[in-house]
């Protein structure tokens, strides 16, 4: 198919196209429908019609997903009532760390308030959100449809549509790439004579392995989920979360040579090797509901579209297509929601005709939603010696040492915990942790232990079956 910039199509002024029907794409379509008379979402997968189901385009859906409180708030603003629908479908809205057994790199968190967290299968989240988005008749989805390139405008600098396999080009005044980790947009832009974005990459070589289990009855259980974090001297961890369908999803993680196995027989053995036996003790009485699924594409990668000296008009990249994070920190969906919120604020007062020309500014504003999550993910990953990427500078090393002390304080101090989880949930600025009152509490009362303590179970909870 001819991808040269002089192969043009007539572009309607009232049509926008979103590539990808994941969370970022669906929310972007919802926002664009406020300014465009028609929005088409192009999705390569055949989407499930009868209820939540796995699809190949979201392979990470078989692993634990987290929607932090700020993401819950933004999506509720875009789709009023969506939280109740997710809860009715079996999702859970919990308080972290209060409702969890959470072993941090320092020690166990106490039963402290922190931030709300929504847990549910990715399949349920996508199904429920898609249903709400499609209530808007201005939006339609073309699933089972593969985008193969972009169409360039006659001015040589604008994007005016999308090329589809086996069909005519789809004209559009504005195109959003929300195809995630597999985005081909850099190559498509290069084919039209545009510059591909520079990429910054940090890879701690984290591996995932996950498996579904029944939730065994235990009247003494006083927690809803569990997180055993790894740390550089013990780079293995695991998370256990409740899902719709009365299931647990256990996700094991490890860096480099400590990546968890993908075989069913080795799954529990790896769980037993964690810093605490708590997760293993919980799983050994549970019945597996699936085989083990692995995932290894966990690098942090920022494609700097916001830095392009010659930005294509009428095109932006959103969500993982622009910036993706090590998923162990749980920020991907919340950052996608924040980026869409930034898109909404930028185009709220624009005429439709003005949106394409503002693509550069829109890209900068939506990309800015990634900055805090990027700082958290990359600075933490740089603690691991096997991490590939630009080395930590002096400022990062100082912040790492300070954050180790913050973690110690957050384990037991409600004030420090509240501020720490406010930042982790992307609800408050990281500067909150650098304020005088927080620094005084952290530096005067808690010292980083020479060897962080790890007890088998927190003081407020014993092994399964105990009160």
């Amino acid at each position: 198919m001819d991808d040269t910039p002089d192969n043009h199509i007539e572009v309607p002024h009232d049509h926008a196209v979103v590539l990808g029907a994941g969370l970022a794409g669906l929310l972007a379509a919802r926002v664009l429908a406020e300014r465009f008379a028609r929005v088409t979402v192009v999705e390569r997968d055949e989407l499930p019609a009868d209820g939540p189901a796995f699809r190949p385009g979201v392979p990470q859906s078989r692993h634990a997903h987290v929607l932090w409180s700020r993401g819950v708030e933004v999506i509720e603003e875009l789709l009023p009532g969506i939280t109740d629908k997710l809860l009715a479908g079996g999702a859970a809205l919990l308080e972290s760390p209060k409702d969890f057994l959470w072993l941090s790199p320092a020690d166990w968190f106490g039963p402290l308030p922190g931030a709300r967290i929504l847990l549910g299968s990715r399949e349920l989240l996508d199904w429920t959100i898609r249903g709400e988005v499609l209530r808007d008749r201005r939006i339609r989805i073309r699933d089972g449809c593969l985008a193969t390139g972009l169409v360039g405008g006659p001015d040589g600098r604008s994007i005016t549509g999308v090329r589809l396999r086996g069909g005519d080009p789809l004209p559009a005044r504005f195109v959003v790439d929300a195809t995630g980790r597999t985005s081909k947009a850099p190559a498509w832009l290069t084919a039209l004579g545009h510059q591909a974005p520079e990429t910054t990459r940090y890879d701690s070589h984290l591996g995932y392995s996950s498996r579904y289990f029944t939730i065994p009855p235990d009247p003494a259980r006083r927690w809803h989920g569990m997180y055993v974090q790894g740390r550089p001297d013990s780079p293995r961890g695991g998370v256990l979360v409740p899902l719709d369908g009365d299931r647990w999803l256990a996700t094991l993680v490890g860096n480099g040579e400590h990546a968890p196995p993908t075989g069913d027989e080795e799954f529990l053995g790896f769980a037993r090797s964690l810093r605490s036996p708590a997760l293993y003790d919980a799983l050994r009485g549970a019945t597996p509901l699936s085989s083990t699924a692995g995932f290894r594409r966990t690098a942090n990668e920022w494609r700097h579209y916001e830095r392009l000296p010659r930005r294509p008009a009428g095109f932006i990249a959103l969500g993982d297509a622009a910036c993706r994070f090590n998923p162990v920190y749980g920020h991907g969906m919340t950052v996608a929601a924040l980026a869409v919120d930034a898109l909404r604020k930028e185009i709220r007062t624009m005429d439709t005709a003005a949106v394409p020309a503002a693509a550069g500014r829109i890209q900068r504003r939506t990309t800015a939603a990634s900055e805090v999550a990027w700082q958290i993910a990359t600075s933490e990953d740089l603690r691991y010696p096997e991490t590939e990427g630009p080395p930590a500078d002096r400022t990062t090393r100082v912040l790492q040492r300070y954050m180790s002390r913050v973690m110690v304080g957050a384990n037991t101090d409600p004030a420090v915990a509240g501020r720490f989880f406010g930042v982790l949930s992307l609800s408050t600025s990281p500067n909150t942790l650098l304020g005088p009152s927080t620094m005084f509490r952290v530096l005067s009362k808690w010292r980083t232990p020479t060897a962080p303590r790890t007890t088998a179970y927190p003081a407020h909870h014993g092994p399964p079956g105990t009160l």
Side-chain angles (χ1 to χ4, degrees):
M1 183 174 288
D2 186 2
D3 281 331
T4 56
D6 59 348
N7 185 13
H8 308 305
I9 53 178
E10 184 176 350
V11 181
H13 74 281
D14 61 349
H15 184 220
V17 169
V18 177
L19 302 178
L23 185 136
L26 291 170
L27 295 180
R30 160 69 184 85
V31 166
L32 291 173
E34 296 177 358
R35 280 290 165 267
F36 291 85
R38 295 183 300 125
V39 180
T40 302
V41 180
V42 176
E43 171 55 51
R44 68 177 182 179
D45 284 346
E46 297 280 351
L47 296 175
D50 300 324
F54 174 80
R55 62 185 180 90
V58 193
Q60 67 271 29
S61 70
R62 287 173 169 159
H63 309 280
H65 277 66
V66 168
L67 187 60
W68 284 103
S69 54
R70 186 62 187 130
V72 175
E73 292 165 0
V74 170
I75 296 175
E76 181 67 26
E77 291 171 7
L78 295 174
L79 301 168
I82 191 66
T83 306
D84 287 341
K85 288 182 170 63
L86 287 166
L87 297 179
L93 193 59
L94 303 175
E95 183 86 8
S96 178
K98 182 179 178 181
D99 293 328
F100 291 77
L101 293 186
W102 186 327
L103 178 59
S104 79
D107 207 338
W108 293 96
F109 278 103
L112 304 173
R116 290 188 310 161
I117 189 170
L118 190 141
L119 297 172
S121 68
R122 178 61 186 270
E123 293 87 355
L124 174 70
L125 288 165
D126 283 358
W127 168 263
T128 308
I129 290 172
R130 184 164 67 247
E132 285 301 295
V133 168
L134 291 180
R135 288 164 61 93
D136 189 330
R137 295 186 176 274
R138 294 169 292 187
I139 302 170
R140 66 169 184 152
I141 292 183
R142 292 180 61 172
D143 62 340
C145 185
L146 180 66
T148 60
L150 300 170
V151 177
D155 58 3
R157 63 174 299 271
S158 60
I159 301 302
T160 58
V162 178
R163 300 192 181 280
L164 306 176
R165 183 173 64 185
D168 294 331
L170 183 62
R173 185 65 62 183
F174 196 68
V175 176
V176 174
D177 175 22
T179 54
R181 296 169 179 266
T182 61
S183 171
K184 302 294 190 299
W188 294 347
L189 290 172
T190 301
L192 294 174
H194 294 278
Q195 184 176 338
E198 297 177 354
T199 299
T200 302
R201 192 171 190 271
Y202 291 87
D203 189 356
S204 66
H205 301 284
L206 186 83
Y208 268 27
S209 289
S210 296
R211 200 174 189 187
Y212 298 98
F213 292 83
T214 61
I215 301 179
D218 182 358
R221 187 185 301 122
R222 291 178 292 173
W223 49 268
H224 296 277
M226 188 184 304
Y227 187 14
V228 177
Q229 282 187 262
R231 61 191 186 202
D233 66 332
S234 181
R236 296 185 177 196
V239 61
L240 187 64
V241 295
L243 294 186
D244 37 287
D246 295 320
R247 300 170 294 164
W248 271 341
L249 176 58
T251 294
L252 304 178
V253 301
N255 296 74
E257 63 182 16
H258 293 275
T262 56
D264 295 348
E265 298 300 321
E266 299 86 9
F267 193 87
L268 281 182
F270 187 92
R272 196 172 192 173
S273 73
L274 304 187
R275 293 167 54 209
S276 163
L279 195 143
Y280 168 76
D281 287 342
L283 288 180
R284 63 179 175 171
T287 302
L289 296 173
S290 71
S291 58
T292 302
F295 188 68
R296 296 293 185 266
R297 298 183 63 187
T298 61
N300 306 283
E301 191 168 84
W302 190 325
R303 292 172 172 170
H304 294 287
Y305 287 100
E306 79 283 0
R307 296 181 185 173
L308 288 176
R310 180 172 169 263
R311 301 180 182 90
F315 172 85
I316 67 167
L318 205 64
D320 282 1
C323 187
R324 59 189 178 99
F325 315 92
N326 184 336
V328 76
Y329 306 107
H331 284 142
M333 295 193 299
T334 298
V335 170
L338 291 174
V340 171
D341 189 49
L343 169 64
R344 187 187 198 192
K345 290 174 181 175
E346 283 299 307
I347 69 174
R348 178 177 292 164
T349 59
M350 288 185 186
D351 293 331
T352 302
V355 175
R361 186 174 80 244
I362 294 170
Q363 184 72 72
R364 289 192 297 274
R365 296 294 173 84
T366 56
T367 300
S370 301
E371 290 176 353
V372 173
W374 178 263
Q375 180 182 5
I376 292 172
T378 56
S379 63
E380 288 302 307
D381 278 2
L382 281 169
R383 294 181 186 272
Y384 293 85
E386 62 267 29
T387 297
E388 295 179 3
D393 56 20
R394 184 174 182 274
T395 299
T396 299
R397 292 193 297 271
V398 170
L399 285 173
Q400 286 174 335
R401 290 194 291 272
Y402 176 68
M403 287 306 300
S404 294
R405 295 188 176 190
V406 169
M407 184 68 76
V408 174
N411 281 167
T412 55
D413 184 311
V416 178
R419 294 162 194 167
F420 171 78
F421 279 95
V423 173
L424 189 61
S425 65
L426 306 183
S427 297
T428 58
S429 167
N431 292 334
T432 302
L433 296 175
L434 299 176
S437 63
T438 304
M439 293 187 73
F440 177 80
R441 298 181 77 93
V442 167
L443 298 179
S444 66
K445 297 177 69 175
W446 287 278
R447 305 295 179 185
T448 305
T450 303
R453 295 183 297 114
T454 298
T455 53
Y457 280 88
H460 62 281
H461 183 89
T466 65
L467 291 174

